[in-house]
């Protein structure tokens, strides 16, 4: 995604003029403080208790009917403002197990003990603190300007995005049946490769299907000096890693994006021991659900074929484990809705600051909100987060910017939040008014 917005940026670098939905100085200062509080107090997936309580408090003070602990530590706020469509705005709330290295005076110093008993840092390294602050700022603007719209505003603070579980849990608990069925769902995600003050939208596919797959390759171990008496799983694993590359290059249409990455390979314990098994850990990425199914089927076929060629019996064939609980579908931005939102955001922050984004192979469980039997139209847009001066310098000098999930990622939060609130508020009002 590096510098994906460069060509558009070079067209214009103008700052947007304030709209009626741009936070005033006092509101912006309060949002900045909320951001720093959230940034300094991150919580890992499935542990977002204090974060959800703070968001629930903010929504309650604005007059929302608030329900906590939906699908874990999820929060749902409903504000009915006459007859009209239901517009759902979503933010994600969990942090990442990263030790922050930004050297900011508001940096997170939180550490926790993980499930394995290890001490880990916790950081909002994916911008969820920006998302939540923009979410609350948008709620404030929409309540302040409630005479400008009619309908039901549905604010959803979703936990456990980083592990692909939060959206599933909230939907399973009846998000669309117990609360309201939205007519539109809108979200935003901060970008580490676009300057603050800009917004970018990709109509159609925006983010990828994501699957985590384990492949346990079996063999018959023995002494490293007598390999002829064994069936070496390290050799079979090596053959497998190379063979898997042919799925994208020779089995899937070159017109269909597909990635199969072997991110981890573990086997053996000593120089002169041939082990009994090797474990591979894969990440699969695609957009088309049919491609996803083709990837998985091919992995199973290829690994079995290699085992057969080595003379292994059926009970020694590899195990292919697809972690369905962690799988998330691609995010498909409804083209009509994406176009409407683009028009709204151009009105709010200026045409030069509203860019067209390209699809990326990152994943987001936001896509699940549109993958229901209800077939709800959804759109998520990218919110530029890089200080504009730093961005221009990186382009000029060819230096790399810290990416999302980096311990050094530090967005230009005042400008990013102001842009997010302004853009999201205008988009929501126009959806309520069917503009």
């Amino acid at each position: 995604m590096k510098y994906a917005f460069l060509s558009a940026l070079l067209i214009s670098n103008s700052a947007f003029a304030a709209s009626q939905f741009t936070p005033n100085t006092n509101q912006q200062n309060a949002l900045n403080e909320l951001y720093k509080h959230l940034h300094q107090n991150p919580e890992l997936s499935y542990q977002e208790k204090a974060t959800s309580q703070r968001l629930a408090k903010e929504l309650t003070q604005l007059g929302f009917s608030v329900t906590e602990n939906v699908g874990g530590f999820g929060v749902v706020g409903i504000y009915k403002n006459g007859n009209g469509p239901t517009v759902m705005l979503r933010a994600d709330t969990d942090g990442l197990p990263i030790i922050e290295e930004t050297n900011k005076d508001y940096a997170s110093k939180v550490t926790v003990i993980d499930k394995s008993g290890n001490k880990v840092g916790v950081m909002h390294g994916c911008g969820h603190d920006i998302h939540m602050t923009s979410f609350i700022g948008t709620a404030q603007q929409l309540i302040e300007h409630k005479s400008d719209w009619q309908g039901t505003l549905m604010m959803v603070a979703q936990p456990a995005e980083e592990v692909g579980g939060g959206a599933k849990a909230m939907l399973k608990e009846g998000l669309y049946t117990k609360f309201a069925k939205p007519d539109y769902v809108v979200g935003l995600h901060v970008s580490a490769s676009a300057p603050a003050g800009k917004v970018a939208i990709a109509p159609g596919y925006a983010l990828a299907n994501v699957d985590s797959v384990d492949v346990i390759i079996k063999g018959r171990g023995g002494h490293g000096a007598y390999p002829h008496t064994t069936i070496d799983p390290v050799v079979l694993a090596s053959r497998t890693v190379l063979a898997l590359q042919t799925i994208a290059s020779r089995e899937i249409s070159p017109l269909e994006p597909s990635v199969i990455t072997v991110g981890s390979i573990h086997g053996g314990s000593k120089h002169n021991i041939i082990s009994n098994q090797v474990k591979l850990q894969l990440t699969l990425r695609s957009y088309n659900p049919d491609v996803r199914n083709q990837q998985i089927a091919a992995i199973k076929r290829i690994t079995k074929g290699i085992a057969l060629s080595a003379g292994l019996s059926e009970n020694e064939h590899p195990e292919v484990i697809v972690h369905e609980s962690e799988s998330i579908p691609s995010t498909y931005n409804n083209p009509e809705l994406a176009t409407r939102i683009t028009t709204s955001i151009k009105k709010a922050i200026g045409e030069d600051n509203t860019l067209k984004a390209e699809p990326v192979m990152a994943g987001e469980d936001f896509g699940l909100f549109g993958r229901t039997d209800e077939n709800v139209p959804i759109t998520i847009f990218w919110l530029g987060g890089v200080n504009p001066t730093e961005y221009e310098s990186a382009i000029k000098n060819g230096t790399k910017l810290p990416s999302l999930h980096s311990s050094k990622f530090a967005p230009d939060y005042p400008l990013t939040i102001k842009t997010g609130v302004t853009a999201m508020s205008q988009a929501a009002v126009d959806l309520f008014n069917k503009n």
Side-chain angles (χ1 to χ4, degrees):
M1 231 172 53
K2 182 184 176 186
Y3 308 143
F5 307 94
L6 170 60
S7 60
L9 175 66
L10 293 178
I11 296 173
S12 170
N13 196 30
S14 61
F16 67 85
S19 82
Q20 63 174 321
F21 301 116
T22 300
N24 62 36
T25 300
N26 289 337
Q27 291 170 332
Q28 183 69 50
N29 289 339
L31 290 173
N32 291 347
E33 290 305 309
L34 175 60
Y35 167 81
K36 287 189 283 188
H37 169 80
L38 294 169
H39 187 84
Q40 290 176 314
N41 296 278
E43 295 174 294
L44 293 177
S45 306
Y46 299 120
Q47 299 175 25
E48 311 92 336
K49 182 177 181 180
T51 302
S52 68
Q53 289 175 341
R54 177 61 186 266
L55 296 178
K57 178 182 177 181
E58 296 283 345
L59 292 174
T60 299
Q61 289 175 342
L62 290 170
F64 284 80
S65 173
V66 176
T67 303
E68 298 182 63
N69 302 320
V70 180
F73 291 114
V75 178
V76 179
I78 301 291
Y79 192 95
K80 295 184 178 180
N81 188 34
N83 296 322
T86 296
V87 177
M88 173 180 146
L89 306 182
R90 173 268 200 176
D92 37 12
T93 63
D94 51 334
L96 289 160
I98 299 172
I99 296 174
E100 182 165 350
E101 297 180 311
T102 62
N103 296 320
K104 299 293 185 181
D105 58 5
Y106 55 86
S108 168
K109 296 179 174 59
V110 174
T111 59
V112 298
I113 304 299
D114 67 12
K115 292 185 295 184
S116 302
N118 300 314
K119 186 177 180 179
V120 297
V122 188
M123 176 190 177
H124 275 300
C126 199
H128 294 188
D129 45 1
I130 291 283
H131 305 171
M132 290 184 281
T133 308
S134 300
F135 173 87
I136 294 299
T138 299
Q140 293 169 346
Q141 291 298 317
L142 292 175
I143 298 304
E144 181 178 333
H145 295 89
K146 63 184 180 180
S147 61
D148 294 333
W149 59 273
Q150 286 189 317
T152 298
L153 176 57
M154 183 177 181
M155 305 295 290
V156 174
Q158 178 219 305
E161 183 277 329
E162 294 292 352
V163 294
K168 292 176 185 175
M170 295 192 80
L171 289 165
K172 184 177 181 180
E173 197 161 317
L175 180 65
Y176 287 178
T177 55
K178 293 180 180 179
F179 298 97
K181 175 192 171 184
D183 295 289
Y184 312 102
V185 180
V186 186
L188 57 76
H189 199 299
V190 71
S191 170
S193 61
K198 308 282 184 181
V199 163
I201 304 178
Y205 286 117
L207 295 122
N209 296 308
V210 179
D211 285 285
S212 295
V213 178
D214 292 341
V215 180
I216 299 174
I217 295 174
K218 301 174 184 178
R220 298 174 191 169
H223 199 296
Y226 314 115
H228 60 289
T229 66
T230 72
I231 298 179
D232 190 343
V234 173
V235 173
L236 298 184
S238 301
R239 289 175 57 191
T240 300
V241 170
L242 294 177
L244 293 180
Q245 309 312 306
T246 65
I247 297 173
S249 67
R250 290 296 178 269
E251 296 196 33
I252 293 172
S253 168
L255 302 179
E256 291 281 4
S258 170
V259 173
I260 297 177
T261 294
V262 180
S264 171
I265 178 168
H266 290 280
S269 60
K270 196 174 185 292
H271 301 75
N272 62 349
I273 297 174
I274 293 175
S275 63
N276 288 317
Q277 70 175 37
V278 173
K279 182 178 180 180
L280 308 180
Q281 292 180 300
L282 286 61
T283 186
L284 279 52
R285 307 290 168 120
S286 61
Y287 297 127
N288 188 333
D290 292 336
V291 171
R292 182 242 183 196
N293 293 335
Q294 188 178 357
Q295 288 174 329
I296 294 170
I299 290 169
K300 291 178 178 179
R301 188 193 73 247
I302 287 171
T303 54
K304 179 180 178 180
I306 291 173
L308 285 169
S309 72
L312 290 168
S313 60
E314 186 172 348
N315 66 342
E316 296 172 307
H317 288 176
E319 296 178 45
V320 177
I321 303 165
V322 181
H323 294 278
E324 298 287 355
S325 63
E326 299 177 13
S327 297
I328 57 174
S330 56
T331 294
Y332 185 80
N333 282 344
N334 178 276
E336 180 182 353
L337 179 59
T339 299
R340 290 176 62 181
I341 290 174
T342 300
T343 300
S344 295
I345 294 177
K346 285 179 179 179
K347 181 166 56 176
I349 67 174
E351 186 167 353
D352 291 339
N353 295 312
T354 309
L355 316 175
K356 182 179 184 298
E358 296 300 321
V360 297
M361 278 295 182
E364 239 278 10
D365 67 359
F366 178 81
L368 284 161
F369 294 115
R371 295 295 183 99
T372 68
D373 293 338
E374 308 293 345
N375 197 28
V376 176
I378 66 171
T379 288
I380 191 169
F381 60 84
W382 292 104
L383 178 63
V386 183
N387 177 278
T389 301
E390 293 177 9
Y391 186 90
E392 290 185 9
S393 176
I395 293 171
K396 181 179 179 180
N397 299 320
T399 55
K400 291 184 178 180
L401 294 164
S403 67
L404 296 176
H405 292 213
S406 165
S407 62
K408 299 183 184 298
F409 176 61
D412 182 349
Y413 67 88
L415 179 54
T416 303
I417 292 165
K418 181 173 74 169
T419 308
V421 171
T422 305
M424 185 69 88
S425 300
Q426 184 70 64
V429 167
D430 286 349
L431 289 174
F432 280 121
N433 296 329
K434 301 182 180 179
N435 290 345

